Amino acid sequence: MADAKLKPKSVDGTEPHGAGNSPQETASTVEVMPPPDAIETDPELTPEEAEQARKRYLLKRFWISARRYWGRGGDKFAWPFSIGLLALIGMNVGFQYGINLWNRGIFDAIERHDAGTVYFLSAVFVPLVLGTVAIVTIQVAVRMMIQRRWRSWLTTAVIARWLANGRYYQLNLIGGDHKNPEARISEDLRIATEAPVDFTAGVISAFLAASTFIVVLWTIGGALTLPIAGWTITIPGFLVITAVLYAAITSTSMAVIGRYFVHVSEAKNQAEAEFRYTLTHVRENGESIALLGGEEEERNDLDKTFANVLRQWALLARQHMRTTLVSHGSMLIAPVVPVLLCAPKFLEGSMTLGQVMQAASAFAIVQGAFGWLVDNYPRLADWNACARRIASLMMSLDGLERAEQSDSLGRIKHGETEGEAMLSLNDLSVSLDDGTAVVTETRVEIEPGERVLVSGESGSGKSTLVRAISGLWPWGSGSVNFHADRRLFMLPQRPYIPSGTLRRAVAYPGAADSWTLDKIKAALDKVGLDYLNEKIEEDAPWDQTLSGGEKQRLAFARLLLHYPDIIVLDEATSALDEKSQDKMMQMVIDELPEVTIVSVAHRAELEAFHSRKITLERRKGGAKLVSDIDLVPRKRKRNLLSRVLRNPSLPKGSTTSNKDSTVPE
């Protein structure tokens, strides 16, 4: 049986955070494949070469996931929409050719003073324009539909992997290029999926247009004969040759001038993401900043971050100026070149005015097709940068996913307890992702209804141990086992307050309408928040409005609604005064008499509300459990497993339970 299925259920009946919800369960429409194999950097490469190889692989990594939109497990409408877009592009080129022929016909009729033909072609022009507009409009709709569905599909897949098994939290604990994942998912992924569709449609359209109108230029232009110094030089297909040379010159100029565009665009996007993150950080911590009077320091930090944004924008502006020089110059010159080239033939009478105008129109279309890079190089550079940023996040998720499937770093296992034990830690060791030990060889067994206090000095690994129990911290060895079909509820030191109404905040993580208003009000009354009952349906920024103590009281109100079997309190009363803390703990004992509690706290006063105390001591090789004592007499003998500690050098009596000890009043 898989570890995920052995972990306790959360209060709403689903697996808790870190309990192994698979991406397939999180995003049922996306079939998630195993991560690609890790790529080892060639040690013989120089740092610059290694960085270039990494950047090339980032683009490859993006396409490994992105192209599956058109593959097995992708969107069922991906290919129909794509084929439809290709058909529309072909029809649009057909209408362009029709308008090109219309240009020849109308100017020939004008040259001949043929009024009847002019009137007829004027009438024909209306359906040509309407048809072209209709085709282009539908083409835009289909193209944007593909972009929207592709973005939705890939975003769902990335978010599913990001949220699975607590990876969104674990990314904060490991190294790698994955800063600001929210900006990468929201903005970079949008550009990374929009631009390729535009590029593909543009390239196909340019290829079809160039192929069609090169034939037109070759046909109507013919050969150009030039007398030079007594010699006669004939240039076959001179309009085609000129169009190709002209496009080669402009494209090469763009490639040379804009060769740093990708790097500058990537740096600009990173600077923008860091500036957004800094602004968000200030907003989320506004109360603390205001109380400390830290506005000036925050302003300096924001000014520094924004200065970097402006600096990167200045570099990007220089690149745009250079590319604009080429593109705008090309735009002005291109319409004139074919007219000048065709002028000798027109003047000698071998080419009609209609043919000259048809050639000019065809030359402009061919030049536009060949000059596609000139017009789209900045966007291509921007896409390159965004695709690499989202691929960097994918690679970090790949590493976490591979670690989950491998025992190379050691993984904490999760299973079911034997007998009636509610929770057991069997040879549990907790380490960092680089293997550094935090907590070593811990053995504890907790029975139903026990209230266990975990104590120890700061930095001894208490909170890390709690994260390992909850499944958020994966690295280590040994196992964490829960009683089957028991519901776990975590109360962190800083309770999460979602956006929306106060009712939703109290019911979280359940739905706001899962309990009646009377039950929610009763829960608020019991935790001393009855004065908020009148605002229970008010939609307000409660995370900013409620104080730290009020947030912790609200978290206790959630306990009364969800009625879990196991509660893990991580400094959950640290913002409360001693009197309020005592009321909260006594309320939990009175309202949930059968619940099993595991508390992490520094305050000695909390011992009065627990039946057992275990102590962690920080040591060089990782914190160890140094004592496990009963705070109240026990009705039955505890399993010997909980008495076995791995440090025989401890003082006598420190490794055994003291069944007769009690807490002084």
Side-chain angles (χ1 to χ4, degrees):
M1 186 178 294
D3 289 346
K5 295 181 180 179
L6 295 176
K7 289 195 176 183
K9 292 183 178 179
S10 67
V11 292
D12 58 357
T14 62
E15 297 291 336
H17 292 305
N21 287 340
S22 68
Q24 294 93 329
E25 295 169 341
T26 308
S28 59
T29 59
V30 179
E31 181 183 353
V32 178
M33 299 294 288
D37 294 333
I39 303 298
E40 298 293 336
T41 304
D42 188 345
E44 297 183 359
L45 295 177
T46 64
E48 294 77 13
E49 293 173 337
E51 179 63 17
Q52 290 301 319
R54 186 188 74 87
K55 289 184 176 181
R56 287 193 297 270
Y57 176 74
L58 285 175
L59 293 181
K60 178 181 178 181
R61 176 63 190 89
F62 170 77
W63 283 115
I64 288 174
S65 293
R67 69 191 179 195
R68 293 194 61 252
Y69 173 73
W70 286 271
R72 182 180 177 183
D75 187 354
K76 62 181 179 180
F77 293 108
W79 278 110
F81 278 125
S82 300
I83 294 172
L85 180 60
L86 294 178
L88 290 167
I89 291 173
M91 294 171 65
N92 184 38
V93 172
F95 272 94
Q96 283 182 313
Y97 179 67
I99 293 176
N100 182 259
L101 291 177
W102 182 90
N103 275 325
R104 175 176 178 172
I106 193 71
F107 282 103
D108 280 343
I110 292 173
E111 185 181 26
R112 296 192 309 267
H113 302 284
D114 186 351
T117 302
V118 170
Y119 294 145
F120 172 75
L121 290 177
S122 298
V124 171
F125 184 69
V126 175
L128 277 176
V129 170
L130 292 178
T132 301
V133 171
I135 292 297
V136 171
T137 302
I138 298 173
Q139 181 180 325
V140 169
V142 173
R143 174 174 55 80
M144 296 188 71
M145 178 69 73
I146 295 174
Q147 291 171 325
R148 182 178 65 83
R149 295 183 70 90
W150 190 18
R151 179 190 179 188
S152 174
W153 183 89
L154 189 56
T155 300
T156 301
V158 173
I159 289 178
R161 297 185 65 211
W162 182 51
L163 293 179
N165 301 335
R167 294 175 196 148
Y168 59 93
Y169 171 77
Q170 295 167 9
L171 285 176
N172 300 321
L173 310 176
I174 64 173
D177 181 17
H178 50 254
K179 291 193 301 182
N180 308 321
E182 64 283 353
R184 297 171 191 254
I185 295 174
S186 62
E187 185 64 15
D188 292 320
L189 197 148
R190 177 186 65 81
I191 297 174
T193 51
E194 284 182 359
V197 179
D198 290 336
F199 296 154
T200 302
V203 167
I204 294 174
S205 180
F207 174 78
L208 292 178
S211 301
T212 301
F213 290 99
I214 280 177
V215 175
V216 173
L217 289 176
W218 189 280
T219 302
I220 65 175
L224 179 65
T225 301
L226 298 174
I228 300 178
W231 294 83
T232 300
I233 299 177
T234 301
I235 305 175
F238 72 100
L239 289 177
V240 175
I241 294 175
T242 303
V244 172
L245 288 175
Y246 188 87
I249 292 172
T250 55
S251 298
T252 302
S253 300
M254 177 62 74
V256 173
I257 291 175
R259 62 187 181 275
Y260 299 116
F261 221 121
V262 173
H263 174 73
V264 173
S265 182
E266 188 173 12
K268 185 269 296 182
N269 290 344
Q270 180 63 34
E272 292 280 15
E274 291 177 358
F275 183 54
R276 285 194 301 269
Y277 174 79
T278 305
L279 290 170
T280 302
H281 185 72
V282 172
R283 177 180 59 81
E284 292 178 345
N285 297 275
E287 181 181 1
S288 298
I289 294 171
L291 291 174
L292 293 172
E295 291 85 358
E296 188 64 29
E297 179 63 24
E298 294 299 329
R299 176 62 181 269
N300 293 336
D301 190 33
L302 286 170
D303 288 345
K304 180 181 177 181
T305 308
F306 187 58
N308 186 38
V309 173
L310 296 178
R311 184 163 53 252
Q312 297 303 329
W313 264 107
L315 295 175
L316 187 63
R318 295 176 189 173
Q319 292 294 325
H320 274 291
M321 290 169 61
R322 294 169 182 169
T323 55
T324 300
L325 179 67
V326 176
S327 62
H328 193 68
S330 173
M331 181 184 68
L332 294 175
I333 297 173
V336 179
V337 172
V339 174
L340 296 178
L341 291 175
C342 293
K345 283 197 166 189
F346 175 74
L347 294 175
E348 71 181 15
S350 61
M351 184 177 285
T352 67
L353 178 61
Q355 289 176 319
V356 172
M357 300 311 297
Q358 184 184 15
S361 174
F363 187 92
I365 294 174
V366 171
Q367 176 55 35
F370 281 145
W372 181 87
L373 177 63
V374 175
D375 298 328
N376 291 274
Y377 194 85
R379 285 199 64 201
L380 183 62
D382 197 28
W383 170 81
N384 200 315
C386 292
R388 286 175 179 173
R389 279 176 53 79
I390 191 64
S392 296
L393 175 61
M394 290 177 176
M395 286 184 63
S396 295
L397 294 173
D398 291 343
L400 289 174
E401 195 168 346
R402 280 192 293 266
E404 293 166 6
Q405 301 168 2
S406 170
D407 294 328
S408 58
L409 287 178
R411 305 288 294 186
I412 298 172
K413 298 179 180 179
H414 295 266
E416 291 182 357
T417 57
E418 298 179 359
E420 297 182 2
M422 185 65 72
L423 168 65
S424 67
L425 311 179
N426 297 337
D427 294 327
L428 178 65
S429 294
V430 184
S431 61
L432 302 178
D433 63 318
D434 61 0
T436 304
V438 178
V439 179
T440 61
E441 299 178 338
T442 301
R443 289 183 139 191
V444 174
E445 186 169 291
I446 299 174
E447 298 173 0
E450 273 197 295
R451 301 190 295 275
V452 180
L453 178 64
V454 181
S455 64
E457 62 181 337
S458 297
S460 60
K462 302 186 301 299
S463 294
T464 305
L465 180 63
V466 167
R467 296 185 182 105
I469 292 174
S470 67
L472 284 178
W473 195 286
W475 302 291
S477 61
S479 64
V480 177
N481 304 307
F482 290 91
H483 194 289
D485 300 323
R486 291 299 187 266
R487 297 175 300 167
L488 172 69
F489 203 101
M490 299 285 300
L491 262 68
Q493 184 176 6
R494 297 177 58 186
Y496 172 66
I497 307 298
S499 59
T501 64
L502 182 62
R503 179 176 183 175
R504 181 183 180 224
V506 180
Y508 193 85
D513 56 358
S514 297
W515 293 272
T516 64
L517 282 176
D518 290 340
K519 289 185 177 180
I520 293 178
K521 289 180 179 180
L524 291 176
D525 287 343
K526 291 178 181 178
V527 298
L529 296 178
D530 51 294
Y531 54 88
L532 294 176
N533 282 339
E534 296 180 356
K535 301 179 180 180
I536 200 167
E537 295 287 8
E538 183 177 328
D539 192 336
W542 294 109
D543 186 53
Q544 304 296 324
T545 304
L546 299 177
S547 67
E550 288 174 323
K551 292 178 184 178
Q552 290 190 341
R553 288 173 179 270
L554 187 144
F556 277 93
R558 292 172 179 169
L559 293 179
L560 302 180
L561 296 178
H562 291 282
Y563 211 95
D565 301 292
I566 308 172
I567 302 173
V568 179
L569 309 176
D570 185 8
E571 299 285 359
T573 60
S574 60
L576 299 175
D577 59 83
E578 184 177 341
K579 184 177 180 180
S580 298
Q581 172 185 267
D582 293 348
K583 288 182 178 179
M584 288 300 102
M585 294 303 299
Q586 190 60 51
M587 182 271 299
V588 172
I589 295 173
D590 294 339
E591 297 291 332
L592 306 172
E594 302 298 326
V595 73
T596 302
I597 299 176
V598 178
S599 296
V600 170
H602 290 91
R603 294 178 177 176
E605 299 83 7
L606 285 171
E607 292 185 5
F609 302 98
H610 293 80
S611 58
R612 182 176 166 196
K613 178 181 178 181
I614 60 177
T615 303
L616 288 174
E617 183 178 282
R618 183 171 56 184
R619 297 189 177 183
K620 185 176 181 180
K624 287 195 175 185
L625 177 61
V626 297
S627 73
D628 184 354
I629 62 173
D630 290 334
L631 299 174
V632 296
R634 300 191 51 79
K635 296 181 180 179
R636 57 179 175 173
K637 197 175 202 178
R638 187 185 307 134
N639 190 303
L640 289 177
L641 179 64
S642 64
R643 304 185 183 203
V644 179
L645 301 177
R646 296 284 184 151
N647 191 349
S649 63
L650 295 174
K652 186 176 180 180
S654 65
T655 63
T656 59
S657 301
N658 183 1
K659 296 175 62 178
D660 298 326
S661 63
T662 59
V663 178
E665 296 295 336

